[in-house]
Amino acid sequence: MHSVPAHAQTGLEIRALHADTGAPVSGVTVRISNDDIGFTSERTTNDDGRTRLAGLSTSGRYDVRAPETDTYYEAGVTGIRLRADHTRSITLLMVPVAEYELDEVVVSGANNVASVNRVNAEVSSSLAPETIENTPVEGRNFTQVLKRLPNVTPATGFFTEAPVVSINGANGLYANYLIDGMDNNENFLGGPKFELPTGMIKDITVLSSTYSAEFGRTGNGIFNVTTKSGGNDYTGEAFYLTRPGPPLDASSPFAQRDLSGNAVKNGFSRQQGGFSLGGPIVRDQTFFFVNAEHTTDFKDNLLNVPSLNINEAVDGQNHLSYLSARVDHRWSERWRSTLRANGQRVRIDRQGGGLTGGVRFASAADTQVRDGWHVALANTYTGNRWLYESNLQYSGFNWDFAQPENPDAPQVTMLAPDGSTTLGILGHPGFRFDETERTVQLQQKVRYSGSGHELLAGVDVLRADFSLAGGGNPNGNYTVRLSDAQVQALRNRQPGQTLQPEALSELPGAVEVLNYGVETRPATFGTDQVLIGAYLEDQFSPLSDLNVTAGLRWDYDSLSKGGADAGDFTNIAPRLSLNYSLGARTALRGGYGMFYDKIVYSVYSDALQFSSTAPGFRSQLQSLIDQGRLPEDTNINRVTNRGNLTANAPNPGAVPFLDGPTPDELADERASIFSNELRILNPNGYDNPLTHQFSVGVQREVDANTLLYVDLIHTRSLNQFRLRDLNAPDPFSIDPEEVEAAQSDPNRDPSDLVRTQFEADQTRPTDIFERDAAGNIRTDADGNPQFKEGVARQIVMTETAGEARYWAANVNLVKERGQDDFAYRLSYTLSRLRNNTDDINFRAEDANDFEDEWGPSVNDRTHVISSVLSYFPADRLRLTLASLLQSGQPINRVPSAEVFGTTDLNGDGRAFSNAYLGNSDRYPGESRNSDRLPWSTTFDVSVQYALPLADGRLIARADIFNVLNAENLSGFANNATQSNQIQTGPSSSRRFVQRNAGPPRQFQFGLRYAF
């Protein structure tokens, strides 16, 4: 048995090999130094030619040298950067003195050497600071850089602020974000809690398959960011960056997205500024690094109400502020600590109006708040055989989706005298969504070296406390109809964009109230989520060239309890990886692992928020239990909750304008309200999503600065999130031949093939209609059916039963600059992802038939070609061309209301109208995501020129995004319901309505002083 390097903790594996034979060289004294932080150490290679250091700081750069002896010339590698939770492999090629007569030292390596991973089978890729600095990046935003990593693509999400990238084609919510190995997830839905600006980033790494048992809580991939730190020399920068917008940017008829994912159009511009500074507090002992950046976006909307003679611009701004600090301190040669703090303050205006015209007045404006912060303390003790790490982090996130401009106002929707034209929306956004999260994370890791084994054991505990104030407007929402005289009086007053609801009370005559609704439970509710991970891993080498890593991880998620009486304690995940060295420059690796995902908190929260304790609803649940559609031991009290519910005044015509009933006064109406949908917790609890990951690959050092690696990846995912309608109507489908026959026959109407909602409702497992003594459905005076009090048409429950299959081949060629005047990163991925669920809110098209949902993921690609090429024609000049070429995203073919009179063919009450769902009925005969958009081809250019100034450089920069001004219909981050991925009619029709396009050519300019 032979010893091997450390596990995922930051460290170095150094291997000495004979330059001619590739045999390991033992007894070589290796000196490791880092002048940036005053670190030095010596090690001696063992029988395998290996030595290792674990628990190293990520600060500064390391030099590794084997001094010249009577037997071998000096060998070394300089300028080595380390990233968080990673062991880097370094090879020293030992040249025998007896065989060569040399006048100078032999150095096997250079700055930023491309090194083969000789440790494990981890499929990963990293971006160094130079690559990030040279790559065209919009707004210095790190999420815009991630798409340059292999196995990562721009994503389609199901809400505006959804994560903008996908790993391995999966839903962007399921990726795990880390900072220095610690949690950086907005745990309510997903995505980063703190969006690091690039000025704070030393390294960005994606772990896309077969990684260590130390990493958990995702069955997908991980983005791990290593932050910058200070050293013995003062370094820093100050910058100004602008995106001036028109007239430099190319025009486009389609809305674009700002960095938050919200739509913007003409008149959008951006201004940014910031600085960073790092250096010593005490040389060789204590160091600091701080970074501060601020962005202001300027954007215009248009308020356009011709009936009131209003046509004016509404100005808005976004404000994004980021502050980060890190202090590193070495207490002794064995103890060191790092204290890190990050904070962001994000304000996104929804100022009223619309991109091309709207009727929302500024009085009903709101601001989206996304504030996040971390305070983390990491401590490392390095002994002779022991390594101990203790990390503690406290973090928070506040997401107020619509902070009202007028929080105490009602919402008033003004209708014209015809009752159908909306004249304006005043007063309040009309709903609440204010979510907060407070999280504590504790990591304890111990590594022991001895007897030919490297043992790692660890525990990672995370507790997140959530609260949500949601639902409708507690101040009430009014829908009113103005008379001709009132419209004329309002027009004569020339109201501006700040028109308030109270102004309508001053109009002649009483304001007619058509509808009034108010949130009956304006309360805050939530629970906590406790995640416990424990792992044990062993690295050993049965052969001198073979590393084996065997690990076992156990995870527990308190939310897996759901509506059951106990959670899931059986999440045991074995992992195994093999790494075999073929000489000094090549390594083969392969591995298998099981990976469990956490329960997305919104799954639990939605079941609380959209539930009810009304007697009618409880009777429905009991009926489902009696029918065997719910387990016999279902506890109705445990699966339901008194959630948010808006009650409408039973006689709105009698409601005085602006003096409607309070929530307490309408509280009794809760029990009688009919709901289109209510939710429950799963009485069986939730199985944590599980993924089996397989990978095999090869890495080859082409030369000292060039690395070629190829990976084959396969994943099989189980227990994926999806929604089941427990009260679904009977299955219903339309024969495509019948549709074709009806369209070709002038005496037939395709709408006759549709099942109406009334017909579908009569086939639901629980009866939702009021009936007379004879069993006939009661109707009102207008002939509309009457529903039972407190019942729901759809009774929805999250289940963890979906599946996915992913196959990919990835080829990467990475060349660092070294002594040359060019560098590049080239990546090609051939992939295929099929699943029968795409999101936590995914539903089957018809009667819970998920087997009929198998199809391409919404983020599936076939080909992705990415490249970043940098050329340095002179010391002061840098040119970079970055390209991203992607085959088209899937198209879901849906029914056309022009043909069928509706898009709800089976009458189950669902159509593609909710931006948070992303599924609907499909055109008869079409399978899910059966069509494809065209390729997306984007080329970005960056030009930088540096002038020496004082002790630093003044760098002028210009970035041009989409320099060829390609109109890309596919391949950019967008919202599913705003993209081109939803098209009506069958694939054979080739009908295509363009709703969106990628950003046109855009310019960004910057000036930066760096030292």
Side-chain angles (χ1 to χ4, degrees), residues 123-143:
V123 180
S124 64
S125 187
S126 300
L127 295 176
E130 290 85 359
T131 304
I132 298 172
E133 180 181 325
N134 294 334
T135 303
V137 178
E138 184 181 1
R140 292 169 61 99
N141 183 284
F142 96 104
T143 61

Side-chain angles (χ1 to χ4, degrees), residues 230-512:
N232 282 327
D233 297 323
Y234 286 100
T235 60
E237 66 172 352
F239 76 92
Y240 168 72
L241 193 68
T242 179
R243 179 183 154 186
L248 293 180
D249 289 353
S251 63
S252 172
F254 302 102
Q256 305 306 314
R257 288 158 58 101
D258 61 21
L259 293 176
S260 72
N262 285 271
V264 294
K265 210 169 184 297
N266 297 332
F268 179 78
S269 65
R270 178 182 297 126
Q271 306 291 333
Q272 290 180 258
F275 74 92
S276 62
L277 178 65
I281 298 175
V282 178
R283 287 186 61 84
D284 295 339
Q285 182 176 341
T286 309
F287 314 96
F288 76 94
F289 191 88
V290 295
N291 173 264
E293 304 194 12
H294 176 78
T295 300
T296 299
D297 293 338
F298 300 89
K299 55 186 185 179
D300 296 333
N301 279 355
L302 178 64
L303 180 65
N304 183 19
V305 188
S307 298
L308 300 179
N309 199 27
I310 297 175
N311 187 47
E312 53 186 84
V314 186
D315 298 331
Q317 296 182 10
N318 298 335
H319 295 278
L320 300 85
S321 300
Y322 303 94
L323 178 63
S324 298
R326 171 171 165 164
V327 176
D328 294 87
H329 177 72
R330 188 164 65 208
W331 303 96
S332 67
E333 291 302 313
R334 295 186 181 274
W335 275 104
R336 65 176 177 84
S337 298
T338 297
L339 178 65
R340 170 177 52 82
N342 311 104
Q344 72 179 25
R345 184 181 186 274
V346 174
R347 300 292 184 270
I348 302 164
D349 264 1
R350 286 192 284 257
Q351 68 269 34
L355 296 181
T356 58
V359 296
R360 182 177 295 272
F361 283 71
S363 65
D366 63 84
T367 301
Q368 182 175 182
V369 174
R370 290 180 67 88
D371 293 344
W373 48 269
H374 309 84
V375 178
L377 177 63
N379 303 281
T380 303
Y381 173 80
T382 306
N384 294 329
R385 291 182 176 271
W386 293 91
L387 175 73
Y388 169 65
E389 289 187 26
S390 178
N391 305 322
L392 178 66
Q393 179 174 268
Y394 182 53
S395 63
F397 189 76
N398 180 33
W399 184 12
D400 190 343
F401 190 77
Q403 187 178 85
E405 181 73 17
N406 295 296
D408 299 323
Q411 183 189 78
V412 178
T413 300
M414 302 184 300
L415 301 183
D418 62 11
S420 60
T421 303
T422 301
L423 297 179
I425 300 173
L426 314 175
H428 193 280
F431 68 96
R432 299 178 71 196
F433 181 96
D434 188 359
E435 180 260 333
T436 61
E437 174 190 345
R438 298 293 181 265
T439 304
V440 178
Q441 183 183 20
L442 177 65
Q443 295 178 336
Q444 300 291 301
K445 311 175 190 178
V446 178
R447 180 188 56 80
Y448 175 75
S449 305
S451 303
H453 292 263
E454 299 285 331
L455 297 174
L456 173 69
V459 176
D460 187 343
V461 179
L462 184 147
R463 177 190 174 107
D465 291 305
F466 298 91
S467 64
L468 174 67
N473 184 5
N475 308 313
N477 293 339
Y478 295 83
T479 300
V480 303
R481 177 165 54 193
L482 302 185
S483 66
D484 290 326
Q486 289 170 333
V487 171
Q488 186 60 47
L490 194 57
R491 180 188 180 100
N492 292 339
R493 294 182 184 184
Q494 298 181 343
Q497 57 188 253
T498 59
L499 179 67
Q500 299 288 338
E502 292 79 8
L504 302 188
S505 299
E506 302 172 2
L507 298 177
V511 175
E512 181 186 5

Side-chain angles (χ1 to χ4, degrees), residues 130-131 134-135 821-824 868-872 879-881:
E130 290 85 359
T131 304
N134 294 334
T135 303
D821 55 5
F822 63 95
Y824 57 78
V868 180
L869 303 98
S870 294
Y871 177 53
F872 310 88
L879 307 174
T880 299
L881 173 65

